[in-house]
Amino acid sequence: MSSIPSGLMWFRRDLRAHDNAALAQALRSCERLHCVFVFDRAILDPLPRQDRRVEFIRDSLVQLDERLRELAATPDGGLVVLHGDAAEAIPRLAQELGVQCVFANRDDEPAALARDERVRTGLAGSGIGWRDFKDHSIFARQDLLTRAGAPYTVFTPYRNAWLAKVQAADLAPHPAAARAGVLAARPPRHRHAVPTLQDLGFRPTNLPELGVGCGWRGGAARLDAFVARIDRYHADRDFPALEATSGLSVDLRFGTVSVRELARRAYPVAQAGGAGAASWLDELIWRDFYLQILANFPRVAPPSGEHRSFKPAYDAVEWEQGPQADEAFAAWAEGRTGYPLVDAAMTQLRRTGFMHNRLRMVTASFLVKDLGIDWRRGERHFAEHLLDYDLAANNGGWQWAASTGCDAQPWFRIFNPVTQSRRFDAQGEFIRRYLPPLAGLAAPALHAPWTAPPLELAAAGITLGETYPRPIVDHEAARARTLQRYAVVRAVR
Ligand SMILES: Cc1cc2nc3c(=O)[nH]c(=O)nc-3n(C[C@H](O)[C@H](O)[C@H](O)COP(=O)(O)OP(=O)(O)OC[C@H]3O[C@@H](n4cnc5c(N)ncnc54)[C@H](O)[C@@H]3O)c2cc1C
């Protein structure tokens, strides 16, 4: 079975030893296998020095390293961890270790593809092979095509094709334990502990206080807790005050869970009629959908250069610019728009690095359709702050909200932030959690404080414009401006 004397497994966004496609294949194919992770300077250097993602990755690596040493049954086993430019570090390490092949799981983000191409070229120069595997999604790239042989660009037919195609083999685990004996001891010069945040030039964040468990152990705990409440997912998932969704997006982003395992848990329950599991499986399919959109239409997010509308006609829309727009953007980002649900959501993002899906839609719609600001500015802001930031899902989500992307309903879909608030946070529980200055105000006034009688505001200790902002925009007037702004699309089409 094993024909390669020595190989190197390169972990990237798959930080687990269980059910890992490339690792299982590498273990099967090699007589001796080394493992590496690179803190890539090309990614880390531009980041602010406090970044929850770097801390999450670093703490996840400690668990991965520990698990690999257990599997190798020697303390000298485990993970080689480097800090450098991955495109140079991997070929250099592969040569130093004398391996014949490097194994990795695919990453279809445009920048990752460009980096992997440089690695592959570097390796080929030394006669070293490269093998990559699908691990990050159930279906990818051109696995699912329309009858005309084109990638799907609309979710519902994609979902139907996904459900029609999926087989047990697509969800089957890729176990490591049986072949773990081939895991090699690290060469003495690489037998270091995983670098600390300080070693990497970063400072600790509030991640531990938030109670977000890292690594495969954190992912497994989140999955078990979620499976116990999955039956209510379809009914509760839109209410941000409830702990109804899985919180697994960070694990899917960094591979501390296997998406096959999630689908293995949800699929049979959904098939047996479980409405919660079926609805959650749909979300995993949305994830696959946006990953294949990015893989098949990389023009939406070129590695260097401006992201583009999926529907090119929308690039003609003219957005607000200048100091007033900059101030409106800052008010949105800092949670002082005067719309409580928007402000609470933006505060959640700042404090925790997470935002509930319903609120991502509401805040994105508010930025684009109430403030008239380019969706790409919001996309960048989310990219900087989300712990679960994922290029494909974030770009897809923003384009959905801006009506420039796939499955976009006609341009007139504009969320009303007050109606959304009344519907999805009726008692204001979520708003109060993140906006203490409004805590004394009862619903319904809480959803639109400027409509509250002065006595009610005074009783709640609120002075509009002082303790809480007045709305920075009138929704109905903004709606009319947006309809005009988007009218240009019909002219271009
Ligand atoms: C403007 C905007 C930006 C977004 N940016 C991101 C992002 O950067 N990273 C990210 O993972 N998700 C993003 N999403 C999708 C979604 O909001 C999050 O995946 C979800 O809130 C994560 O919480 P959860 O793990 O509890 O989700 P659950 O409801 O438990 O869903 C399970 C999993 O399905 C996937 N999923 C759910 N909804 C979507 C969706 N609409 N599109 C793609 N995948 C989905 C996620 O991987 C999620 O973990 C964005 C959505 C919008 C509207």
Side-chain angles (χ1 to χ4, degrees):
M1 190 195 305
S2 47
S3 55
I4 301 174
S6 184
L8 176 63
M9 166 70 198
W10 177 18
F11 288 91
R12 295 108 65 90
R13 48 190 300 181
D14 52 348
L15 304 182
R16 66 186 189 282
H18 65 278
D19 197 359
N20 180 318
L23 178 63
Q25 192 58 48
L27 288 168
R28 269 203 298 276
S29 310
C30 300
E31 285 160 31
R32 202 169 62 250
L33 185 69
H34 296 274
C35 296
V36 64
F37 178 87
V38 184
F39 279 104
D40 195 341
R41 283 189 179 279
I43 299 170
L44 297 193
D45 285 357
L47 296 178
R49 296 297 90 186
Q50 264 188 318
D51 192 303
R52 295 185 186 98
R53 291 164 292 196
V54 179
E55 189 160 347
F56 186 91
I57 294 171
R58 190 262 157 201
D59 288 359
S60 298
L61 288 178
V62 171
Q63 292 182 26
L64 176 62
D65 174 50
E66 197 180 272
R67 182 71 192 124
L68 288 170
R69 277 186 280 122
E70 272 168 22
L71 283 168
T74 157
D76 295 337
L79 198 59
V80 173
V81 181
L82 304 176
H83 184 201
D85 178 354
E88 291 164 11
I90 290 295
R92 201 180 316 120
L93 179 70
Q95 251 190 311
E96 178 195 328
L97 296 171
V99 304
Q100 289 77 47
C101 188
V102 172
F103 294 77
N105 287 311
R106 281 178 209 132
D107 181 342
D108 284 341
E109 290 190 4
L113 289 170
R115 173 202 60 201
D116 288 355
E117 193 46 45
R118 284 178 63 203
V119 170
R120 208 193 319 243
T121 309
L123 293 170
S126 320
I128 301 170
W130 165 268
R131 289 175 66 185
D132 57 19
F133 300 86
K134 177 176 67 178
D135 180 77
H136 190 59
S137 55
I138 306 297
F139 296 119
R141 298 185 176 181
Q142 282 100 39
D143 284 349
L144 292 178
L145 294 174
T146 63
R147 284 213 186 119
Y152 283 93
T153 58
V154 177
F155 175 70
T156 303
Y158 177 83
R159 168 189 172 275
N160 295 341
W162 194 106
L163 289 169
K165 180 164 171 143
V166 72
Q167 300 283 320
D170 297 309
L171 309 186
H174 295 258
R179 292 276 303 162
V182 305
L183 286 168
R186 288 176 292 177
R189 80 179 208 88
H190 290 297
R191 284 181 202 159
H192 312 295
V194 174
T196 62
L197 276 181
Q198 287 78 355
D199 292 338
L200 297 165
F202 285 83
R203 292 193 303 278
T205 69
N206 67 345
L207 198 59
E209 290 154 46
L210 294 171
V212 178
C214 301
W216 64 272
R217 287 203 187 88
R222 267 184 290 280
L223 177 56
D224 285 344
F226 174 66
V227 167
R229 59 175 188 263
I230 197 169
D231 286 346
R232 292 209 46 79
Y233 178 78
H234 63 301
D236 291 350
R237 61 182 293 257
D238 269 320
F239 300 95
L242 302 179
E243 197 185 7
T245 68
S246 70
L248 284 160
S249 48
V250 61
D251 302 290
L252 285 162
R253 172 64 185 90
F254 296 113
T256 42
V257 292
S258 152
V259 66
R260 288 178 298 275
E261 183 178 356
L262 306 197
R264 278 200 302 277
R265 303 277 284 263
Y267 184 75
V269 188
Q271 289 298 99
S279 166
W280 194 61
L281 190 63
D282 273 359
E283 298 309 314
L284 297 181
I285 302 175
W286 266 108
R287 178 175 173 274
D288 272 16
F289 175 71
Y290 282 138
L291 284 165
Q292 65 89 35
I293 288 288
L294 181 62
N296 290 310
F297 303 94
R299 64 177 161 79
V300 296
S304 52
E306 189 143 282
H307 290 188
R308 311 303 296 251
S309 297
F310 179 79
K311 292 186 176 144
Y314 285 80
D315 283 332
V317 173
E318 283 187 26
W319 306 107
E320 299 295 322
Q321 279 174 1
Q324 235 180 321
D326 291 348
E327 173 43 33
F329 181 82
W332 173 82
E334 291 162 20
R336 45 181 181 82
T337 66
Y339 284 88
L341 189 65
V342 173
D343 294 344
M346 296 307 291
T347 307
Q348 180 187 34
L349 176 63
R350 213 173 50 249
R351 286 205 201 136
T352 71
F354 184 79
M355 192 195 288
H356 187 278
N357 179 59
R358 167 63 44 185
L359 303 181
R360 295 187 204 205
M361 296 194 286
V362 169
T363 54
S365 174
F366 189 84
L367 184 75
V368 178
K369 294 183 175 163
D370 281 78
L371 301 181
I373 291 176
D374 192 335
W375 59 270
R376 285 164 281 223
R377 287 186 78 175
E379 186 199 17
R380 261 196 313 277
H381 183 79
F382 273 26
E384 284 160 16
H385 289 85
L386 281 173
L387 178 59
D388 66 19
Y389 166 60
D390 175 83
L391 174 57
N394 196 45
N395 183 269
W398 272 95
Q399 298 225 35
W400 183 90
S403 305
T404 61
C406 304
D407 242 2
Q409 279 192 11
W411 40 272
F412 51 76
R413 183 189 50 216
I414 298 174
F415 280 136
N416 179 323
V418 176
T419 314
Q420 292 284 313
S421 188
R422 285 193 196 118
R423 219 170 132 195
F424 296 110
D425 191 31
Q427 300 311 313
E429 217 180 307
F430 180 83
I431 292 173
R432 276 194 209 89
R433 197 179 297 161
Y434 286 99
L435 297 181
L438 294 184
L441 197 58
L446 183 59
H447 302 294
W450 65 93
T451 61
L455 274 180
E456 195 176 340
L457 287 174
I462 297 165
T463 311
L464 286 182
E466 285 179 28
T467 55
Y468 185 70
R470 293 180 196 283
I472 58 167
V473 69
D474 173 74
H475 176 70
E476 285 312 318
R479 187 173 190 281
R481 279 197 298 276
T482 290
L483 294 179
Q484 266 180 343
R485 191 186 309 282
Y486 276 67
V488 67
V489 175
R490 285 190 294 176
V492 170
R493 271 201 293 220

